[in-house]
Amino acid sequence: MRFDGRKFDQMRPVNVIRNYTKYAEGSVYIEVGDTRVICNVSIEDKVPIFLRGKGEGWITCEYNMLPRATQIRKIRDITRGKIDGRTMEIQRLIGRVLRSVVDLKALGEKTLWIDCDVIQADGGTRTTAITGAFIAIVDAVNKLHRKKNFKVYPIRKYLSAISVGIVNNEKLLDLCYAEDSNAQVDMNIAMTDDGEFVEIQGTGEEKPFSRKDLNQLMDLGENGIKKMIEIEKRSLKMDALWIGTGDKK
Amino acid sequence: MRFDGRKFDQMRPVNVIRNYTKYAEGSVYIEVGDTRVICNVSIEDKVPIFLRGKGEGWITCEYNMLPRATQIRKIRDITRGKIDGRTMEIQRLIGRVLRSVVDLKALGEKTLWIDCDVIQADGGTRTTAITGAFIAIVDAVNKLHRKKNFKVYPIRKYLSAISVGIVNNEKLLDLCYAEDSNAQVDMNIAMTDDGEFVEIQGTGEEKPFSRKDLNQLMDLGENGIKKMIEIEKRSLKMDALWIGTGDKK
Amino acid sequence: MRFDGRKFDQMRPVNVIRNYTKYAEGSVYIEVGDTRVICNVSIEDKVPIFLRGKGEGWITCEYNMLPRATQIRKIRDITRGKIDGRTMEIQRLIGRVLRSVVDLKALGEKTLWIDCDVIQADGGTRTTAITGAFIAIVDAVNKLHRKKNFKVYPIRKYLSAISVGIVNNEKLLDLCYAEDSNAQVDMNIAMTDDGEFVEIQGTGEEKPFSRKDLNQLMDLGENGIKKMIEIEKRSLKMDALWIGTGDKK
Amino acid sequence: MRFDGRKFDQMRPVNVIRNYTKYAEGSVYIEVGDTRVICNVSIEDKVPIFLRGKGEGWITCEYNMLPRATQIRKIRDITRGKIDGRTMEIQRLIGRVLRSVVDLKALGEKTLWIDCDVIQADGGTRTTAITGAFIAIVDAVNKLHRKKNFKVYPIRKYLSAISVGIVNNEKLLDLCYAEDSNAQVDMNIAMTDDGEFVEIQGTGEEKPFSRKDLNQLMDLGENGIKKMIEIEKRSLKMDALWIGTGDKK
Amino acid sequence: MRFDGRKFDQMRPVNVIRNYTKYAEGSVYIEVGDTRVICNVSIEDKVPIFLRGKGEGWITCEYNMLPRATQIRKIRDITRGKIDGRTMEIQRLIGRVLRSVVDLKALGEKTLWIDCDVIQADGGTRTTAITGAFIAIVDAVNKLHRKKNFKVYPIRKYLSAISVGIVNNEKLLDLCYAEDSNAQVDMNIAMTDDGEFVEIQGTGEEKPFSRKDLNQLMDLGENGIKKMIEIEKRSLKMDALWIGTGDKK
Amino acid sequence: MRFDGRKFDQMRPVNVIRNYTKYAEGSVYIEVGDTRVICNVSIEDKVPIFLRGKGEGWITCEYNMLPRATQIRKIRDITRGKIDGRTMEIQRLIGRVLRSVVDLKALGEKTLWIDCDVIQADGGTRTTAITGAFIAIVDAVNKLHRKKNFKVYPIRKYLSAISVGIVNNEKLLDLCYAEDSNAQVDMNIAMTDDGEFVEIQGTGEEKPFSRKDLNQLMDLGENGIKKMIEIEKRSLKMDALWIGTGDKK
């Protein structure tokens, strides 16, 4: 039995609200337990310099926490004068992971800006943001699709992410903050609906881990991600219709 | 009849949720029409250098908009490398206005940090933030009061704010963005429950205004603020019990 | 009787030197009591991005104080790494107020840069800067007018600004620093020569103020501004000839 | 056969020079193929604020590339005004990984600063830096040990890191830049001498990867790391004497 | 005959106003031709960290130009986000040169902040600033001396600076901007009243120069500096009384 | 006899490695005693804005020290958030001095970026960097010359630099750090192979110096530079063939 009554392989309750704000092309509010994130996707009709003229699109992410998303108020980046390393790492991760399931050629010369703003943090903000951002990207891409009808629909697969870890020598799924801050091993996994990895990041700062540990954590994560993708499907319903239809790879 | 069907002296619907997040000492989500702001108040047990050792408290505010709170995505401050002038002006205003109704000596050597984060902007974000921040400060101060019982309860008066303006030569209360962006005169008023001004800021960039205009706008604003303070009272209910009880001034 | 022997409705002595430096298109040195400001206007043959191609001009202001303009040496912005909020507020105010009396369409695609650098500060630097900047803009615009003969002369009205306030329950005109730092209510007013407001900013951080207070302060300010505009006229003499001649509004 | 004639499981030649510069407490120059990194370790007799008074030490890393370490000159961070995300990620990784094999309590209230400066980059700079930094830390800790004789020798295990990846559907060890820039899957592994993981970071931005792929890459990496740890031992010789002797965990 | 009618060894007219502003401990306005600089000296009762507890004082300088001190408006440092290299070089020079004639031990644990703000630039701003700063330092030090009576009076010598250069193969004293911008060789010299060098900086970016050129430029500069020190003496009169009286070196 | 056994007019041993890294168009590793600098030259096919369209090239320099190039670890510029003044001064000096021997018209619209990164600092880093950068520029320019055959070969003269100074009243050549930090007078000289000065910078912060001192230091420096240019010739051998052949001036 865990801290909050869950079993070792049990996720926290998930709640998704689509079209959360009125201006963004895709806008999702997502709760996983007490972790709450707003994921807005904006479409911009140009691409970064390194891609200009190549006919390809780009996906980039900015991640931020409200100062009081955490127990202790965190100073705003602009006050400190720089983005902290953790934020950088997370926003690079989210962008990279979402690019892996989008056909950027099919998207054409557009940038999808993902803004993940954490309202309340209780562990797993980066994996929650990935799941929220995935849904928001589907909504944003569909808005384009209904207008201009992509020849090849750009979203190739479902994608979700979850954390796993070892806490007090127990392997657990979906760590909340109290667990995460005591974890011996901490791992984030992003996976597609056909069960392939897009990203693994595992750290044993407190205690190194064996190959066997790794494989057990993968099992746990894979199950969690399957459930999370079910939630995405329930949330998107008919709007998920086109996912994977354009995929040639 | 206005853009959105309101009468010239009619406010937009207001919605307040207290205890919106779980960590902040005071946490209010407030909607005025489509403008939505999260106002979190954090208590810190120290004061800025210029006040140390004087036995007085301080109130300071940081204001920010999510990048996609607006129609066009706004670049984050940290990406631009500096706070923009409008943000500075607004957060200075909010801090100053709230300090005017709090007895900082009674508060003692504590800082109240107000974080106003705009989720969606549709005109009047600064006045909405002032109203939300007032309620959040009451909650935060009450948390202290229940613990340590202030000799003098620090909140002296109710306070609220509202915008008024001249649009197409009509004087209007509570401008939404479509009105605000076409206003000839734009004014923000903060007032206490005994009908005294704490702040007036009026600009006639498009068209100068006369003393008569000023007085009519004041009438309009005063009525709006009375209604807004009613909403504060309904929202706070018994938790407003102590407001003004400690006031000697 | 005030601190420095003035009556409640008496301004400090004003001294204006035009063509103060040799490079700027308009260059004014202005003293109001011990407050001394250099106001330089530079003409640039382009406009900010948001105005390009619209055939309109722009006016923008930068305000700064020499580090030892004040009793205590103030650290330079570049050393602190950021502009402080008060500076931001003031330069936004000066730019906005001056734009209100200039016909930006008539000006054409040009930017007037106003640089207000405070040599010595003794209260009222922002209102002094507005008055100095107005004269400098007339000089800069006339330099253009003599060269290219505007179809519509762009300066529509005289403009000046003054501070008023309540100190020890007395309403006073043109506060010096010793008064300003003890003011219960502090107000800045910018007005045109036909007695209309362009800007009002009033703060009762120490003590809220009533509608009656507001109206008395307005009376006081209006009289001060009339005198200040007389000084502008005396200083500009024949060079003020065209002001208002192009105005159709 | 690979680009540079190596077999799929063959590392590039490694060259290590200890005591490379004369001031740093530990100073290692390391080459892995054409990747060249200087790893300097400095000892500071204090710890970051969050550790003060806890009797524990800290290890932190800064990573940087000379502007012309790469084919195209890279603008210096200070010119751009910010550290780029990749640099942040790498320096956080190096610090975290090295902390995992050092007993920070045994170290006492000291900070080890690791500076990894890349002279020439040809793939694998982060893993090369980890290996170089490990040797430099041993030298720096030994310098302390010879002076003050730690009760518990702080370095618990050997540690090294290597990259593996999938290029053209082939699984390869120790990717050079030409391979890395075309990799479908890119993975960095840090491991101790008893074959346990300290960090895994794998990305399939170009192509997701299966559990089987993951396990094959782990096999490849494990072998590479064993060889790398042999090189560390050869390089340190008698100076490795104490590693692991203090370990109680 | 030069551009402005001067002979090759003739300085421009010099004008000095002491006590130019009312707050600074030393405040000098200095004109050399059309170059105009305000030099304010502030006394701070502490020293930089590297000097704390050593019983010695420090002198540091900040130099800046008003944006329109030059023909083309120069963007403020704070807008560009960094001090430009030329400014850095100049303020380091001014501080260093003035420290060379002040007995910092005799001064005690105080910092003299020199602020040199250029109102109008027409060549030779750095040498003009040195001369102005010297007079301002005498005034600031005398203010202290009258209050606390230094055991050893800290100012040991007169100091001044001047520019020399080669323009169209002519060696000239005190270059104005038109000359300076065409100079083949550009040199700044700071010297004491006993004819010894404190600083020489000569650059032959356009044309290298011989030892003979160097010696002729030194002759020219030495004469200029003698005249400049005469001007300092005339300006300071009785207030220069103590200079050199404390000198033991 | 000096600190390290040298005579007053003896330089430290010099060691030069050309083609030190593989990507830069010119890459030199240079040691002068224990001072070690990497000088990389990169060719960019464009020029700064102020030169565009003039058919001329540019040379610019960035100088930096590894954090542990010095006895005490120096915080990286990017961590402090700004370049320090000494660095600015040095990189401006290096760029200026090298431009003086290159025919920028002959070079055409190209920028040569010089990156001088100090691996270990023991006095004389700026003069060492100038000598190293000169050799690297020859290599970079030759690379261009072999490809496109300049009509006029752009390098006109040999150039080198050396430090001289007065320490304990002795005049010394090529100061190491222990001497430099105790120098009464500190001077850097850059000179061409025909014995003309390109730059002199001399400071007597500790003790002013006479004309006679100056001339003796010049003698010492001139001899040192002759030897240093011999070293350049030995290092470049046949690759110095074209130097001066294109010179018309």
Side-chain angles (χ1 to χ4, degrees), chain B residues 95-238:
Chain B
R96 187 167 65 228
V97 155
L98 281 153
R99 286 192 297 272
S100 77
V101 293
V102 176
D103 181 338
L104 297 170
K105 286 228 157 77
L107 183 63
E109 291 220 346
K110 289 179 188 316
T111 296
L112 302 183
W113 285 88
I114 308 169
D115 286 293
C116 296
D117 287 89
V118 178
I119 299 304
Q120 194 170 270
D122 191 20
T125 62
R126 78 189 72 185
T127 52
T128 301
I130 288 170
T131 303
F134 176 78
I135 301 172
I137 277 193
V138 175
D139 279 334
V141 165
N142 284 356
K143 211 155 282 176
L144 285 174
H145 193 46
R146 290 191 176 96
K147 246 193 291 177
K148 58 166 256 179
N149 212 333
F150 288 109
K151 268 193 215 144
V152 176
Y153 184 79
I155 303 173
R156 294 197 296 231
K157 295 181 181 185
Y158 285 89
L159 170 98
S160 184
I162 200 89
S163 75
V164 291
I166 306 182
V167 185
N168 293 328
N169 303 311
E170 296 291 326
K171 294 182 184 78
L172 303 179
L173 178 68
D174 184 25
L175 280 59
C176 66
Y177 177 73
E179 292 166 343
D180 187 61
S181 58
N182 289 304
Q184 297 155 318
V185 176
D186 179 21
M187 197 166 288
N188 293 293
I189 306 169
M191 220 177 212
T192 62
D193 55 336
D194 49 8
E196 300 224 305
F197 296 106
V198 157
E199 184 94 21
I200 302 178
Q201 293 192 340
T203 294
E205 191 171 344
E206 293 305 309
K207 189 172 103 55
F209 54 99
S210 66
R211 186 79 78 85
K212 198 177 143 204
D213 293 332
L214 175 63
N215 276 304
Q216 290 175 346
L217 289 169
M218 292 296 109
D219 290 338
L220 210 50
E222 206 170 326
N223 280 324
I225 282 178
K226 274 182 193 153
K227 284 174 201 154
M228 206 55 111
I229 288 179
E230 278 317 301
I231 290 166
E232 290 178 355
K233 288 181 177 169
R234 271 206 309 279
S235 170
L236 283 166
K237 288 188 218 104
M238 288 300 292

Side-chain angles (χ1 to χ4, degrees), chain F residues 75-87:
Chain F
I75 294 172
R76 288 176 199 263
D77 287 345
I78 190 64
T79 307
R80 293 171 59 244
K82 51 186 165 190
I83 298 190
D84 71 333
R86 180 186 166 276
T87 296

Side-chain angles (χ1 to χ4, degrees), chain F residues 48-68:
Chain F
I49 294 175
F50 67 91
L51 281 179
R52 279 188 200 152
K54 300 197 175 166
E56 271 179 68
W58 189 242
I59 296 175
T60 191
C61 176
E62 288 183 5
Y63 167 98
N64 194 31
M65 300 212 286
L66 294 204
R68 202 54 197 282

